[in-house]
Amino acid sequence: MLRVEAVIFASAEPVTREVLARVVGKDCSVDLLIDDLREELCSRPYELVFVAGGWQHRSRSAYAPTIRASAAPTRSAAAVLSELESMVLMAIAYFQPVTRSELSKIFGKEVSRDLIGSLRGAGFISSGPRSPTPGAPYTYVSTKHFLSAFGLETLRDLPDMEALEDAGLLSRRIEEGSMVDSDPELDGSD
């Protein structure tokens, strides 16, 4: 059990079942070890979570205000995103594989290459398959790092579009092709 915990603790990325099976051997139940570890950690300020296809140590959300107030540098997987970057990342996650041109149609304004480059640099998106449209433009898809940073096991864990609308976080206009009326951050030199 301690070997499993040590590997998960030391890893910068979620650790898969296959990796843990190599650590403890095929005869040992990884699931039972994980259950035992979770039990031992129940009184600690961190927990073992399954995200992006593997297990990772995470601070419990109840301690987030304390961690932020400390201003101590953290090894957080999520970069600080602007509202616009968050919206574009959300559109990519929901509509992937999606081209930059399709993103521009969704937002009603040009989505800059710099913004796409920023999301790629943060590791949240990567190139997907080439689009079958004329010119075969690149498409963009979310990455395992995206899943891990936002605490998702798979893309199926994304909130339902209707739930986002009900919460006032999304307008039906996104599905009709225009999400933003005017935002100077969207424009960029190509």
Side-chain angles (χ1 to χ4, degrees), residues 102-151:
E102 291 166 336
L103 289 168
S104 294
K105 286 179 186 173
I106 290 169
F107 288 94
K109 299 273 284 175
E110 188 70 21
V111 172
S112 75
R113 288 183 180 158
D114 290 342
L115 190 146
I116 295 294
S118 174
L119 293 174
R120 284 181 77 135
F124 293 129
I125 65 170
S126 66
S127 294
R130 294 284 226 164
S131 173
T133 59
Y138 287 103
T139 63
Y140 300 100
V141 296
S142 60
T143 62
K144 279 192 171 192
H145 177 69
F146 165 80
L147 294 174
S148 175
F150 291 96

Side-chain angles (χ1 to χ4, degrees), residues 76-82 122 124 145 149-150:
S76 172
V80 177
L81 299 175
S82 70
F124 293 129
H145 177 69
F150 291 96

Side-chain angles (χ1 to χ4, degrees), residues 84-101:
L84 176 63
E85 288 170 326
S86 297
M87 290 172 61
V88 170
L89 182 57
M90 179 186 77
I92 292 169
Y94 278 99
F95 300 114
Q96 64 185 303
V98 62
T99 65
R100 195 167 61 88
S101 173

Side-chain angles (χ1 to χ4, degrees), residues 1-25 30 33-34 37 48 54-57 75:
M1 187 172 77
L2 294 177
R3 288 184 287 168
V4 168
E5 184 176 12
V7 169
I8 294 171
F9 181 80
S11 180
E13 297 180 357
V15 181
T16 65
R17 177 182 313 284
E18 294 78 24
V19 170
L20 295 177
R22 283 195 311 256
V23 170
V24 297
V30 171
L33 290 172
I34 293 294
L37 274 171
L48 203 55
W55 285 275
Q56 192 170 46
H57 278 108
R75 53 183 180 166

Side-chain angles (χ1 to χ4, degrees), residues 84 109-110 112 180-188:
L84 176 63
K109 299 273 284 175
E110 188 70 21
S112 75
V180 177
D181 294 324
S182 176
D183 191 332
E185 282 190 63
L186 283 170
D187 291 327

